Amino acid sequence: MIPVCRIEDLPEGESVRVEAGDATAAIAVFHTGGAFYAIDDTCSHQDASLSDGWLEGCYVECPLHAALFDLRSGRPTCLPARRPVTTHAVTVVDGMLYVHPSVTAVPGDPVRTAPEEAVA
């Protein structure tokens, strides 16, 4: 479990890059549609940081060649990317956001935020 930040420190429509350690690549965490999503930060087409991409709903556009990835499944929706990126489970405990890099997220089951606390 990797601590990311407090939920109020990641505003809606924003992302943050988290270094996951030696064995795991960096992870991009997104806050969109009242939910948090985590995917591998590196585009599967070419070495570009997805956390630097453009966020539209549940999709992020790679800043290098405009490949579009679904944050819920990690699947690319257009070329040039052909391979998905890995999704990661996200939890909130006492207002703190955590990523679980060894646990694949269940598509369509993001961590959603409520006015006072996040619920899974």
Side-chain angles (χ1 to χ4, degrees):
M1 185 162 73
I2 300 169
V4 177
C5 63
R6 300 214 38 91
I7 58 173
E8 61 268 16
D9 294 334
L10 185 57
E12 178 80 21
E14 297 293 324
S15 63
V16 64
R17 177 184 166 112
V18 178
E19 295 300 330
D22 295 336
T24 306
I27 295 172
V29 181
F30 299 88
H31 184 187
T32 184
F36 295 99
Y37 300 91
I39 60 173
D40 282 353
D41 187 51
T42 304
C43 177
S44 62
H45 169 250
Q46 200 166 3
D47 190 21
S49 174
L50 294 174
S51 63
D52 290 337
W54 296 275
L55 187 60
E56 290 187 35
C58 288
Y59 300 91
V60 64
E61 182 180 322
C62 176
L64 192 57
H65 291 118
L68 195 66
F69 292 89
D70 187 325
L71 297 175
R72 298 163 293 192
S73 67
R75 292 188 189 111
T77 63
C78 65
L79 295 174
R82 296 175 188 260
R83 291 177 292 124
V85 292
T86 302
T87 59
H88 304 279
V90 178
T91 57
V92 175
V93 178
D94 295 328
M96 185 71 178
L97 186 63
Y98 295 91
V99 172
H100 304 265
S102 61
V103 180
T104 301
V106 175
D109 192 25
V111 172
R112 299 203 178 276
T113 57
E116 295 192 18
E117 185 60 51
V119 294

